[in-house]
Amino acid sequence: MVRSAIDDLAGKLNISKIRPVGDHILLEVLERNRSAGGLIIPKKENTECLYGRVLATGPGEYSPRTGEVFPMDIKVGDILMSVQYMGEKVNSLGKKYRLLRVHGVWAKLKVEFKSDTDFEILEILPYRDHLVVKMD
């Protein structure tokens, strides 16, 4: 759940220097609320989902009992889907980012980009114990 928001009003935050710890992931939020021509598209079913491109990951989850680190199978460049309210919001230079824990990831996506703000979801790959249900 989003508990905080970081707004870089001075534009001095260097996103590429953020290094997530533990099982955290840094996402660049992919917004789909405007058409390629800049028109605002009304809310649809998919507005409750968070889509993002992975910019950085922590080393992985660790066992508090043994200290063993379990590496993540999420890589930089992956496109992920989560729920809109997950993670910590970071806003810098007009872009939106999200720091979220790996347990908040619903699925990895295969997408085809038509523009910076428009993409088509080609395949949804459920992550861990999540599943995809096709509604009749």
Side-chain angles (χ1 to χ4, degrees):
M1 196 157 214
V2 175
R3 293 175 295 279
S4 63
I6 300 167
D7 288 310
D8 179 24
L9 301 176
K12 294 186 177 187
L13 181 64
N14 186 345
I15 292 295
S16 67
K17 294 200 179 214
I18 293 178
R19 297 291 173 248
V21 297
D23 65 342
H24 285 79
I25 301 164
L26 176 63
L27 296 177
E28 176 183 5
V29 175
L30 301 175
E31 295 195 62
R32 299 177 72 189
N33 60 349
R34 292 184 184 264
S35 71
L39 298 174
I40 296 175
I41 299 171
K43 287 188 173 187
K44 298 187 290 187
E45 279 182 54
N46 65 2
T47 57
E48 293 182 14
C49 292
L50 169 71
Y51 303 102
R53 179 182 291 114
V54 177
L55 299 179
T57 68
E61 295 177 276
Y62 74 95
S63 167
R65 214 175 67 195
T66 65
E68 180 182 3
V69 175
F70 302 100
M72 288 198 281
D73 58 350
I74 292 175
K75 307 289 182 233
V76 171
D78 284 348
I79 306 296
L80 304 179
M81 180 172 72
S82 184
V83 68
Q84 190 61 259
Y85 58 79
M86 291 296 288
E88 310 299 328
K89 293 180 178 182
V90 180
N91 302 308
S92 179
L93 299 172
K95 287 193 172 186
K96 295 180 181 181
Y97 303 92
R98 200 65 68 92
L99 273 168
L100 92 138
R101 295 190 63 193
V102 73
H103 72 265
V105 175
W106 285 358
K108 289 183 180 184
L109 304 177
K110 290 187 179 179
V111 300
E112 179 182 318
F113 284 94
K114 297 178 180 186
S115 71
D116 289 344
T117 57
D118 186 25
F119 57 91
E120 180 181 343
I121 298 172
L122 304 175
E123 190 174 359
I124 299 174
L125 308 163
Y127 189 70
R128 293 193 176 174
D129 60 351
H130 293 91
L131 54 97
V132 175
V133 177
K134 183 177 180 181
M135 303 298 286
D136 287 336

